[in-house]
Amino acid sequence: MLPVKVWIREVGPRDGLQMEKKFIPTERKVSLIGSLVEAGLKKIEVTSFVNPKAVAQLKDAEEVVRLLKANDQVEFSALVLNKRGMERAVASGIPEVVLVVSATETHSLRNGGRSISQVLQEMSRMARLGAKEGIRLRGAVAVAFGCPFEGEVPVAALERVVGAMSESGSRQITLADTAGLASPVQVRRVLQFFRDQYRDIAWGLHFHDTRGLALVNVYAGLEEGVTLFESSVGGLGGCPFIPNAAGNVATEDLVNMLAMLGLETGVDLEKLVKIAGELESLLGRTLPSRLLRLSEQAGCV
Ligand code: ZN
């Protein structure tokens, strides 16, 4: 039994572009987001409010948010790692913020320069600030299915973060396979555990395709009733703080698989493939998307 309706959150403008060394002009980022909206994506993570020295590509976060064309049909969100990021996000006017907390200490220190306890301590204050300003705050757990520095992630480590997020009011939590280490069996086991323990949480899944298992992991998530998946157009991305992490599962490959399973996403596949093709030209390299290669052969891009 699979869910009837599935949502996709496009994270290409954030997770995808953060790896790109050459600065992409702000207007080009904003036009990418506009094209994604036109292709029918209803949830888009547009940027990160993180240290511009650590992720120079997204140093224009305020400007990107300022130039977004308001659309009440689309949920735009931005990533933060700490209170400073939250304050910038609030000032920018972004309506939704995702607070990312790592499931392991080593990743937490490398990714955000702080321990898990430090981040968790700030979380309730951040949630209060968000609530006061009318911002939706959701949570995401990085390296939820395995850490390149610490290896296996025990469920207890995940639960520490998930529990704190739930207590501070998050009702949407994404479990992110940041390094692409998850297996379908593990996805099912983790979801079965959390679904039973936290019945009021809407779960999202975020897979990187490092081992070519992202779509299989999505399928395992579907079988456990998950209805929200994150992906990047073209299969962009990786993580600047994780060696050899591949990009996210490509949005067009995900939409295609869901359509083959009879699950409607409302996303126009042809438009999406066109966007991926344009991104290849912009970035000057081949992207991991499968569907993009297929449409080239068919001569329709
Ligand atoms: Zn990611």
Side-chain angles (χ1 to χ4, degrees):
M1 285 292 284
L2 299 182
V4 178
K5 172 98 187 138
V6 174
W7 295 96
I8 293 176
R9 181 178 292 117
E10 168 66 41
V11 295
R14 195 279 301 168
D15 208 357
L17 296 188
Q18 72 182 2
M19 276 298 277
E20 298 300 327
K21 295 259 184 306
K22 198 169 154 238
F23 185 73
I24 297 159
T26 308
E27 295 72 32
R28 186 65 187 80
K29 289 172 183 154
V30 174
S31 80
L32 166 65
I33 296 163
S35 307
L36 292 165
V37 169
E38 256 179 55
L41 286 147
K42 296 280 186 269
K43 296 174 191 282
I44 306 178
E45 215 165 275
V46 294
T47 190
S48 286
F49 289 95
V50 293
N51 185 350
K53 285 191 193 113
V55 186
Q57 182 62 255
L58 303 182
K59 65 183 178 188
D60 57 356
E62 278 84 356
E63 197 58 5
V64 167
V65 174
R66 195 179 67 79
L67 294 172
L68 284 179
K69 224 162 129 196
N71 186 328
D72 57 11
Q73 303 296 306
V74 183
E75 292 175 4
F76 293 119
S77 58
L79 178 151
V80 305
L81 293 173
N82 53 37
K83 194 161 153 278
R84 171 80 190 108
M86 185 72 185
E87 287 162 356
R88 285 177 60 201
V90 166
S92 79
I94 190 90
E96 181 175 308
V97 166
V98 54
L99 169 63
V100 176
V101 184
S102 301
T104 70
E105 287 299 345
T106 316
H107 185 262
S108 186
L109 290 168
R110 293 202 186 208
N111 197 46
R114 346 188 58 199
S115 70
I116 297 173
S117 310
Q118 280 175 311
V119 182
L120 293 184
Q121 269 169 21
E122 274 188 3
M123 195 159 58
S124 46
R125 260 185 296 157
M126 291 167 65
R128 276 199 299 276
L129 176 62
K132 202 176 106 204
E133 301 291 335
I135 287 178
R136 295 186 299 272
L137 184 63
R138 55 185 176 84
V141 190
V143 295
F145 296 97
C147 173
F149 311 111
E150 296 190 21
E152 226 172 276
V153 174
V155 172
L158 268 182
E159 199 180 7
R160 175 186 178 201
V161 177
V162 165
M165 281 177 173
S166 165
E167 252 173 55
S168 70
S170 276
R171 288 296 163 264
Q172 271 191 58
I173 299 179
T174 298
L175 300 175
D177 184 23
T178 315
L181 300 173
S183 77
V185 174
Q186 181 190 18
V187 169
R188 295 197 71 161
R189 200 181 49 211
V190 167
L191 281 164
Q192 280 163 7
F193 176 84
F194 282 108
R195 212 184 37 201
D196 291 347
Q197 303 285 322
Y198 298 87
R199 290 178 185 274
D200 58 343
I201 299 287
W203 299 99
L205 289 170
H206 171 123
F207 294 115
H208 284 255
D209 206 24
T210 315
R211 300 176 185 207
L213 290 175
L215 283 177
V216 190
N217 289 329
V218 167
Y219 193 83
L222 284 169
E223 286 190 313
E224 292 305 324
V226 175
T227 55
L228 193 148
F229 298 91
E230 297 184 348
S231 57
S232 281
V233 62
L236 281 173
C239 175
F241 308 102
I242 287 189
N244 306 322
N248 295 101
V249 61
T251 307
E252 55 274 27
D253 294 344
L254 174 60
V255 169
N256 182 54
M257 183 184 86
L258 294 171
M260 290 173 96
L261 294 170
L263 294 166
E264 190 41 63
T265 55
V267 180
D268 183 323
L269 207 46
E270 219 171 294
K271 283 186 181 164
L272 205 51
V273 172
K274 188 164 172 279
I275 298 169
E278 288 164 359
L279 273 171
E280 278 199 337
S281 311
L282 174 74
L283 302 174
R285 65 163 201 280
T286 304
L287 292 175
S289 163
R290 303 297 175 98
L291 224 58
L292 189 52
R293 300 283 84 77
L294 193 69
S295 19
E296 274 170 354
Q297 285 161 21
C300 64
V301 173

